Amino acid sequence: MKTLTNWFQNKFTPALAKFGNMKYLVALRDGMIITVPFTVFGSIFMIIANLPINGWANFIKPIQPMLQAPVTMTFGILALIVAVGMSYQTSKANHIDPLSGTAIGTVAFLLAMLNSKGTIDLADLGSSGMFTAIVIAILSSEIMRFFIKRHIVIKMPDAVPPAVASSFASLLPGSAALLVVWIIRVVFNIQINSVIQTIFSPLVVGLNSFWGVEFILFLTLLMWTVGIHGNNVIGAVASPVYLQFLTANINAVSNGHAATHITADGFLNFGMNIGGTGAILGLVICMLFAKSQRYKQLGRLGFLPAIFQISEPIMFGFPVVLNPALMIPFITVPMVLQGISYFLIKYGVIGMVIAQVPWTTPTMINGYLITGGDWRAPVWQLIQLIVSVACYWPFFKLSDRKAYAEEQQSAADTEAVDGVKNPA
């Protein structure tokens, strides 16, 4: 076991850390965050418009278009929002003036989305164009970096205000980036968005399947066990796909149709994220009943963060990271619960995800909201929590007994020392 741990620490973990810190993987993770306030805002109106109350649809019918407007103007332009976020983050990563880089990357994306008539279909600015937004942002940034690195820029005298100097400095690199996209899309008449969607279609199809989700979960949880933030690394790749599924579900429900994507963004709240990554709230509840003071106190400290889906205090305080004793339940429990959830949603036992809430929303509340008010969702999450406690319990007790024995031995040693120093 020690040999395996050393291998993880010295070989496997550094390799994963290097992968997780790749420039454009970090830019992708941070660039996608910009969508959160927009999607949450749109989801609020989506939930209001679809409350599961008898007669509610007829009651709000006169104001339905008003409720739909924020949904359309948030989820309907997600690709444009991603283009802005990604262009900004890639500009920072390549040490390009963020304002110029963001503007050029966004315009390059719009140029890439032109149709055969030289106009833009608003439908293409939704989730279907997110991968194009990501690719074009990276391409534009790399072209600009190429020019700037080789000093192929217009330099202004020092007396010129910095804002003006930055604008002229980005003229040649920015023009080159836009020119390349124009040549590909207009001169060669290549449908950039269609090509990119075709390239990423295997990923999209895979993440909409049971085994695709389980594979993503396994990688995410495995990374956590060796100290890598799996949500940031794997989530950065999967997030655009899950968000695309959520948008499709929202559009379907808004038009009076049934949602069709099981693994829409928010699906992981049914298993994986019960109190934080790894269904960690189950472990925290076990700790509240610990015999050792160490774990009992840590459980009290970690309980409130876990309620709000924050697992780091337990991940690194227990610790779960690099702890072979907890590796089995930490990986297995979420995968099993998530797998069962997949089929419960598939066969209509609980509703599909049709809204987004802040990731810190407590378990059961988030399940109710993201399914548009399906009462069965929080009931299932409560069952999952009970199951996670039962599964973590035998593994936790091994650590608890050891810690309790160490505390008892330490207390006995202290008492013996005090007896020597202060004989009766």
Side-chain angles (χ1 to χ4, degrees), residues 363-374:
T363 297
M364 288 181 278
I365 296 176
N366 60 21
Y368 181 80
L369 293 175
I370 64 178
T371 55
D374 186 348

Side-chain angles (χ1 to χ4, degrees), residues 23-324:
K23 178 172 64 175
Y24 286 125
L25 193 62
V26 173
L28 176 59
R29 179 195 68 203
D30 296 340
M32 290 295 297
I33 291 176
I34 193 177
T35 64
V36 173
F38 299 98
T39 53
V40 170
F41 180 75
S43 293
I44 292 172
F45 288 86
M46 186 67 186
I47 293 169
I48 294 173
N50 293 275
L51 289 176
I53 301 174
N54 290 334
W56 182 256
N58 292 330
F59 176 73
I60 65 166
K61 190 172 183 180
I63 61 170
Q64 181 68 32
M66 297 172 62
L67 294 174
Q68 183 60 33
V71 180
T72 302
M73 291 310 298
T74 50
F75 287 93
I77 59 168
L78 271 183
L80 181 58
I81 296 170
V82 170
V84 173
M86 279 297 300
S87 297
Y88 177 78
Q89 294 297 338
T90 53
S91 297
K92 286 179 58 180
N94 286 322
H95 307 291
I96 299 168
D97 175 58
L99 180 59
S100 299
T102 300
I104 291 166
T106 303
V107 173
F109 163 71
L110 294 173
L111 187 59
M113 300 302 285
L114 291 175
N115 57 27
S116 57
K117 298 178 182 178
T119 60
I120 296 176
D121 296 325
L122 291 179
D124 291 336
L125 297 182
S127 60
S128 62
M130 280 198 296
F131 283 115
T132 301
I134 293 168
V135 172
I136 294 299
I138 294 174
L139 174 64
S140 300
S141 185
E142 277 297 314
I143 293 172
M144 293 183 69
R145 187 177 74 90
F146 177 87
F147 275 71
I148 293 172
K149 187 176 181 180
R150 288 160 179 78
H151 305 290
I152 309 175
V153 297
I154 298 175
K155 294 184 178 181
M156 302 298 290
D158 293 339
V160 176
V164 177
S166 296
S167 179
F168 273 90
S170 64
L171 179 59
L172 293 179
S175 296
L178 294 175
L179 183 64
V180 169
V181 176
W182 175 77
I183 291 173
I184 296 173
R185 177 63 197 92
V186 179
V187 177
F188 293 156
N189 195 28
I190 296 175
Q191 298 287 342
I192 297 176
N193 192 41
S194 298
V195 171
I196 292 177
Q197 284 193 62
T198 301
I199 292 172
F200 284 96
S201 60
L203 177 63
V204 174
V205 173
L207 290 180
N208 198 35
S209 68
F210 170 80
W211 290 113
V213 170
E214 290 292 284
F215 180 66
I216 287 295
L217 284 182
F218 176 75
L219 291 180
T220 301
L221 295 164
L222 180 64
M223 286 189 173
W224 266 113
T225 62
V226 295
I228 304 297
H229 200 301
N231 302 68
N232 285 346
V233 178
I234 302 300
V237 178
S239 180
V241 181
Y242 291 147
L243 195 54
Q244 183 175 330
F245 293 159
L246 175 61
T247 305
N249 282 355
I250 287 176
N251 290 337
V253 174
S254 298
N255 293 315
H257 304 300
T260 56
H261 293 282
I262 298 172
T263 60
D265 193 33
F267 169 66
L268 296 184
N269 286 313
F270 296 109
M272 167 77 158
N273 293 332
I274 299 295
T277 304
I280 210 70
L281 185 55
L283 177 60
V284 174
I285 292 175
C286 291
M287 295 168 67
L288 296 178
F289 298 93
K291 293 184 66 177
S292 64
Q293 288 302 311
R294 169 188 171 185
Y295 289 128
K296 184 174 291 186
Q297 291 177 3
L298 182 59
R300 291 168 180 168
L301 291 172
F303 182 72
L304 188 60
I307 290 293
F308 292 96
Q309 313 286 14
I310 300 171
S311 60
E312 280 79 357
I314 305 301
M315 288 287 194
F316 299 102
F318 190 94
V320 175
V321 172
L322 294 175
N323 187 343

Side-chain angles (χ1 to χ4, degrees), residues 348-389:
V349 178
I350 58 177
M352 292 192 182
V353 179
I354 60 168
Q356 189 180 69
V357 295
W359 65 271
T360 52
T361 305
T363 297
M364 288 181 278
I365 296 176
N366 60 21
Y368 181 80
L369 293 175
I370 64 178
T371 55
D374 186 348
W375 64 268
R376 299 168 298 180
V379 170
W380 169 233
Q381 288 181 306
L382 177 59
I383 295 172
Q384 288 183 312
L385 178 58
I386 295 171
V387 171
S388 67
V389 172

